[in-house]
Amino acid sequence: MYDRLFCEKLDEIRSAGQYRTFVTLNRVCGQYPLAHIDGENRKVTVWCSNDYLGMSQNPIVRRAMHDAIDKYGAGSGGSRNIGGTHKLYAELESLLAKWHAKEASLVFPTGFSSNDATLQCLLRLIPDCVALSDEKNHASIINGIRASNVRRHVFRHNDVHHLKELLDQYPRNHPKIIIFESIYSMDGDVAPAVDIIRLAKQYNALTFLDEVHAVVGMYGPRGAGIAADLQLCEEIDIVQGTMAKAIGIIGGYIAASHSLIDTIRSFAPGFIFTTSLPPAIVAGCIASIDYLMKHSEERDQLHRQTRTLRQALLSKRIPVLPCSSTHVLPVMIGDASKCKRAAARLLGTHGIYLQPINYPSVAIGSERFRVNATPVHTDVHIADLAQSLSEVFEHFDIPLLDAEKANHNHELS
């Protein structure tokens, strides 16, 4: 009975073109963005990695991780409360707090868990708290809100007028928290953070900002994120980030006041009852963040190559979601089956790896590739990607930008 149910559910997503498969990529240290397809004697170019700045390959980072293994061993030994708080944690959490101009920070094993555990904890602890969440917030945010079983409102994406309408339903002294992201990972657009914070102050709401796709060394002074770039760090109550993207390793964190951090540390089950990150991971994160705080070359080159990639795609009339203004370039396909087949052809014929992004990551009918350049993608790589996408679009009869619109966009850019 149970197996039949599972098979039926799997058949449903297969027939809808939404079944997900893994591509086993063995990245080659020192040769990023190249990787080997497992079992095949050929290299492919990766165009959708979250290792935005290539810091996973950085010799300083790798050396710090090797040294930590030699000094402390492989694992942490337990949760933070039971044997898992090694000396490197204090250094990392102090560094993260300093990065965001906050009093303190708290590190979690993943970015998902830092969102999920923090929001569950806050919404359960604050009496009668109301959650107001952007409709395109990450699944980890949605999960944390739903698990808390509080009153919640979803405001239209980046729509401050709708947010204000929802806030108007509650007295100023009613507890509430506004949850949004600085850069949205599937669309590449930026939140109206200034306006959201202004509303939060007006209505006495806490603000929770997910900087996962912006804080990772790529925006703002010293790579500290969109809030820092807009000089809003002191105005945001809670900043959440990850070390699994341009920092190049793994782990999540929040940064906030001493009292809020101590509250999450003391009450959040998702923090208390989980094994801490191993010393080598923490050492690598420290080395990567310290490097990115002192060097701008990688993020400067990333933005240059992103501009070059935009122009190359536009010249081939490849449709990129117009709202994208960041390093995330959503190449629109609009059909789940074609998206999967296009990805397979890119890999098999052109040696290019792009993962098809289908429902539930994006809405049905908005299937896409989520493309991002890195500092180590060359102009040759970019030209090859644009030409390969052009061939694949033609092969599967995927709509291109019309010539007049492409020319107009080219003039604007």
Side-chain angles (χ1 to χ4, degrees), residues 133-379:
S133 176
D134 188 286
E135 69 175 333
K136 292 194 175 180
N137 276 340
H138 190 264
S140 56
I141 292 173
I142 296 168
N143 198 67
I145 295 170
R146 286 177 174 171
S148 63
N149 200 30
V150 298
R151 275 183 291 175
R152 57 187 182 269
H153 298 281
V154 176
F155 59 92
R156 289 187 293 271
H157 179 52
N158 282 349
D159 189 335
V160 292
H161 299 292
H162 188 214
L163 175 58
K164 185 180 185 302
E165 290 174 5
L166 296 171
L167 287 165
D168 277 334
Q169 298 179 25
Y170 298 94
R172 189 176 188 279
N173 63 352
H174 191 107
K176 50 192 103 60
I177 180 168
I178 301 170
I179 307 147
F180 65 108
E181 301 182 32
S182 56
I183 292 178
Y184 288 86
S185 63
M186 292 302 160
D187 290 359
D189 56 341
V190 180
V194 172
D195 294 332
I196 290 174
I197 291 168
R198 177 181 52 80
L199 280 179
K201 300 298 182 185
Q202 180 182 344
Y203 288 87
N204 192 30
L206 286 172
T207 45
F208 183 104
L209 176 63
D210 179 326
E211 286 257 43
V212 157
H213 288 274
V215 72
V216 284
M218 296 186 296
Y219 296 87
R222 301 183 305 163
I226 294 294
D229 196 36
L230 298 173
Q231 299 183 331
L232 296 173
C233 287
E234 294 183 3
E235 307 297 321
I236 297 286
D237 295 299
I238 308 145
V239 172
Q240 183 269 351
T242 185
M243 293 166 289
K245 304 218 179 330
I247 292 171
I249 309 174
I250 194 170
Y253 64 89
I254 56 169
S257 65
H258 280 302
S259 60
L260 191 144
I261 293 298
D262 200 20
T263 297
I264 301 302
R265 183 190 69 83
S266 301
F267 290 97
F271 174 80
I272 295 169
F273 299 104
T274 191
T275 301
S276 67
L277 290 174
I281 297 296
V282 179
C285 291
I286 292 168
S288 183
I289 294 167
D290 182 68
Y291 179 92
L292 292 172
M293 289 175 72
K294 297 173 180 175
H295 296 82
S296 63
E297 308 93 274
E298 284 79 8
R299 57 180 166 269
D300 291 344
Q301 179 67 358
L302 174 134
H303 297 309
R304 280 193 294 269
Q305 293 306 84
T306 298
R307 290 191 293 270
T308 301
L309 176 57
R310 280 186 187 277
Q311 289 296 323
L313 296 178
L314 187 59
S315 70
K316 297 294 184 181
R317 296 167 50 203
I318 303 297
V320 174
L321 198 65
C323 66
S324 168
S325 60
T326 63
H327 62 286
V328 177
L329 277 64
V331 170
M332 304 307 292
I333 307 299
D335 179 280
S337 177
K338 284 186 178 181
C339 197
K340 289 192 70 172
R341 287 184 287 151
R345 184 170 180 85
L346 281 168
L347 189 63
T349 302
H350 299 285
I352 286 172
Y353 173 64
L354 277 170
Q355 184 67 24
I357 307 294
N358 293 337
Y359 179 84
S361 298
V362 295
I364 293 172
S366 69
E367 293 80 8
R368 66 195 68 177
F369 296 132
R370 181 181 169 278
V371 184
N372 55 276
T374 72
V376 290
H377 282 98
T378 66
D379 290 352

Side-chain angles (χ1 to χ4, degrees), residues 76-85 89 106-110 113-114 117 252 264-265 268-278:
S76 71
S79 68
R80 290 291 297 276
N81 286 306
I82 307 176
T85 301
Y89 260 110
L106 191 67
V107 169
F108 293 74
T110 66
S113 62
S114 57
I264 301 302
R265 183 190 69 83
F271 174 80
I272 295 169
F273 299 104
T274 191
T275 301
S276 67
L277 290 174

